[in-house]
Amino acid sequence: MFVQRLEPVNGSLGLSALVAALPLVTVLVLLGAVRMKAHLAGPIGLGVAVLVARLAYGMPLGQTVSSAAQGALFGLFPILWIVVNALWVYRMTIRTRHFDILRRSFGRLSTDPRVQALVIAFCFGALLEALAGFGAPVAICSVMLVALGFDPVKAAVVSLVANTAPVAFGAMGTPVVTLAQVTGLPLDSVASVVGRQTPLLALVVPLVLVALVDGRRGLRETWVPALACGAAFAVVQFAASNYVSAQLADIGAALIGAAALVAVPRARRPAAEPVRAAVLTGVRSEDLDEEDPRPEVLRAYAPYALIVALFSLAQIPVVKDRLTAADRVVDWPFLNVAGPDGHPVGGNVFTLPLLSTGGTLVLIAGALTAVVLRVHARVAVREWLETVRELRFALLTVTSVLALAYVMNLSGQAATIGHSVAAAGAGLAFLSPVLGWFGVAVSGSDTSANALFGALQVTAAQQSGLSPELLAAANSSGGVLGKMISPQNLTIACAAVGLAGREGDLLRKVLPWSVGLLLVMCLVVYAQSTVVLSWMLP
């Protein structure tokens, strides 16, 4: 048995923490300063983590490699299993041109560009985040807004800022599932606290979006539908994450938020021509006035309806039990680790959710989508393989980052850093979201940031007397605000709207919003750690 040590370097917690931080520093420097691609920086950081675990912490090489393998497997299944299948569904809608029909349908919901931004970037973007995440909402929504006549820069900025509130529960709850996995906290407990933080963002972000689209006039004229949309989204996200399912939180919030938006009479009024002329400075797609047959419109919505229906069905207790019964729990080979207190850690066993994972449900929905959209089986399989090929660099990035996180957690590196950070005492509650924000800013993924810093946050909380659930949740909630400034998302946005090389321009426009909203989240988490807002916690 390998027993983790907190102070392996000269018996000093400070020196040990500096050495333990080397893998993270390596990745951050390679991404931020050297500007190396993430799929190259990740494996290099993993190599450094293995060396630190072996040389500084004395972890046997076999156990080090085994822990990295477990992290890589978790990155592949269930995380990337969800992403691949969700993007496969999207590719089929592109191939059959039903995505164009969906885009035109959204354009007809309202002629007001400020409302269109809310429908597409906030509501539909949240649904895409719920189903796929990992940059898909920014890419797809940016293209749709440009097709409606938005200036490319404005379309990209709006899509980036909108991709915040749903991120913690994106990709079928993958970030919070990962957070629960690496921290050992119950998923329901973590999701419950996150669901009492990110809904506050949902109240604010729609107001920010209409201000981005049309300045003070936009805020003055469309604050009612924006607030109705944000409030409905916030209420459903809170209720679903606390009382239904973390996997369904964003799906329900996106749908109800859109319904609340279009239900407001002011949202359906035609926008004044000066407003449209001021906002829609881009070139409007010529096919927007094309009429689509009603059956084809229904088919365009069918893939997302199927996914929602299958996930809802999977939450029925009887069905959920049957799916969970197929899970396989195995003793992970060549891994026998105990914490500093001598108790075995959770990584000694591994759960393989064969049917209950979101990726399998999306795969079933994809097969049904192929039938509904009349995609030949051979073509559907080819599209799935092409999706995997397109995601080959993302596959390497996510698996290497998760492998790095598992090596750091199981060797004791994360625990050392956590004990060192705990010296911040009560101030740790204020700084906790910043750590998550920083992690997402450099990795582009709330899932990766949770994998990297989740265990650290819990350890620091335990050492400082704060709630582990609160700080773990704060890591994810703060992280969602780093997504809009991550190089990965900025690159995706620029590529989608034809602004390659102008990532710096977008960064300057979204950075103030990212930092400002982060400050709000820091204050909220700090207040939740005191009597001021402690009543908000379960």
Side-chain angles (χ1 to χ4, degrees):
M1 176 178 286
F2 168 70
V3 180
Q4 298 172 349
R5 293 182 293 163
L6 294 178
E7 303 174 350
V9 182
N10 290 334
S12 169
L13 182 62
L15 287 176
S16 299
L18 290 176
V19 172
L22 285 177
L24 293 178
V25 172
T26 300
V27 173
L28 299 182
V29 170
L30 291 177
L31 288 175
V34 182
R35 298 183 182 276
M36 182 180 289
K37 298 292 186 183
H39 67 273
L40 298 176
I44 293 174
L46 171 60
V48 175
V50 169
L51 288 175
V52 172
R54 182 72 190 94
L55 300 179
Y57 283 77
M59 190 179 197
L61 182 60
Q63 298 214 44
T64 304
V65 173
S66 181
S67 61
Q70 185 179 141
L73 177 58
F74 183 68
L76 288 172
F77 193 94
I79 294 177
L80 287 168
W81 181 236
I82 296 173
V83 179
V84 167
N85 291 322
L87 291 181
W88 172 52
V89 173
Y90 166 65
R91 283 183 63 91
M92 286 192 289
T93 66
I94 290 289
R95 185 179 184 88
T96 59
R97 298 189 179 277
H98 283 90
F99 177 75
D100 293 330
I101 297 174
L102 185 68
R103 174 173 53 81
R104 288 192 289 267
S105 176
F106 283 159
R108 297 187 191 104
L109 288 176
S110 174
T111 60
D112 190 326
R114 299 162 300 191
V115 176
Q116 290 175 342
L118 292 175
V119 171
I120 294 173
F122 187 72
C123 297
F124 186 59
L127 183 61
L128 291 174
E129 182 67 34
L131 303 179
F134 293 90
V138 171
I140 296 172
C141 293
S142 296
V143 171
M144 293 179 74
L145 290 175
V146 169
L148 290 174
F150 279 69
D151 172 74
V153 173
K154 184 169 290 187
V157 170
V158 167
S159 298
L160 285 166
V161 175
N163 191 218
T164 49
V167 168
F169 297 103
M172 302 303 176
T174 298
V176 291
V177 170
T178 303
L179 186 60
Q181 179 83 8
V182 300
T183 60
L185 298 173
L187 174 59
D188 292 343
S189 299
V190 173
S192 177
V193 180
V194 174
R196 296 163 192 250
Q197 294 171 346
T198 56
L200 299 176
L201 294 176
L203 291 172
V204 178
V205 170
L207 298 172
V208 172
L209 294 181
V210 296
L212 284 172
V213 172
D214 195 28
R216 293 183 179 178
R217 177 178 59 185
L219 192 58
R220 183 176 64 252
E221 295 180 359
T222 54
W223 70 269
V224 173
L227 190 59
C229 175
F233 187 103
V235 169
V236 175
Q237 190 183 61
F238 160 74
S241 60
N242 276 266
Y243 306 112
V244 183
S245 166
Q247 286 86 350
L248 293 176
D250 278 350
I251 294 177
L255 296 176
I256 300 301
L261 175 62
V262 298
V264 177
R266 189 178 301 184
R268 298 194 300 273
R269 296 175 189 166
E273 193 54 41
V275 173
R276 292 181 55 81
V279 175
L280 301 181
T281 55
V283 179
R284 190 169 180 264
S285 178
E286 296 180 358
D287 70 346
L288 285 177
D289 296 324
E290 182 179 333
E291 289 294 331
D292 297 304
R294 187 173 181 82
E296 295 305 312
V297 174
L298 293 177
R299 284 196 180 93
Y301 281 92
Y304 306 101
L306 285 169
I307 292 175
V308 172
L310 282 173
F311 271 83
S312 300
L313 182 65
Q315 298 308 312
I316 298 175
V318 176
V319 178
K320 188 174 184 178
D321 291 342
R322 290 288 182 89
L323 294 175
T324 305
D327 291 356
R328 293 291 177 265
V329 180
V330 298
D331 290 326
W332 192 257
F334 309 111
L335 194 62
N336 188 11
V337 180
D341 57 1
H343 292 96
V345 301
N348 294 334
V349 296
F350 186 79
T351 302
L352 197 63
L354 298 176
L355 298 181
S356 59
T357 183
T360 301
L361 297 177
V362 177
L363 178 66
I364 296 171
L368 295 175
T369 294
V371 175
V372 173
L373 300 186
R374 299 168 184 169
V375 178
H376 192 278
R378 188 184 306 108
V379 175
V381 171
R382 191 184 308 132
E383 290 293 333
W384 192 90
L385 294 175
E386 184 62 23
T387 302
V388 174
R389 190 193 69 80
E390 285 191 358
L391 289 173
R392 61 190 182 279
F393 294 129
L395 289 167
L396 182 57
T397 300
V398 173
T399 52
S400 61
V401 169
L402 265 296
L404 180 154
Y406 269 59
V407 170
M408 290 190 65
N409 290 341
L410 293 174
S411 67
Q413 296 173 56
T416 297
I417 298 174
H419 279 75
S420 178
V421 173
L428 181 62
F430 182 85
L431 296 175
S432 186
V434 178
L435 196 59
W437 174 83
F438 190 65
V440 175
V442 297
S443 70
S445 166
D446 199 37
T447 298
S448 296
N450 286 343
L452 286 171
F453 300 131
L456 184 154
Q457 297 270 21
V458 169
T459 302
Q462 292 169 340
Q463 292 299 308
S464 58
L466 295 171
S467 164
E469 289 82 4
L470 175 62
L471 295 201
N475 192 83
S476 191
S477 298
V480 307
L481 298 169
K483 193 148 189 176
M484 69 178 81
I485 64 169
S486 71
Q488 174 182 309
N489 257 23
L490 291 171
T491 301
I492 289 172
C494 285
V497 298
L499 296 174
R502 294 184 59 183
E503 289 85 355
D505 294 340
L506 292 187
L507 177 61
R508 285 190 291 273
K509 289 181 178 295
V510 299
L511 182 59
W513 293 109
S514 179
V515 174
L517 291 172
L518 174 64
L519 178 59
V520 173
M521 183 56 66
C522 289
L523 292 171
V524 168
V525 174
Y526 178 74
Q528 288 179 333
S529 72
T530 68
V531 294
V532 178
L533 291 181
S534 59
W535 54 268
M536 290 183 63
L537 301 179

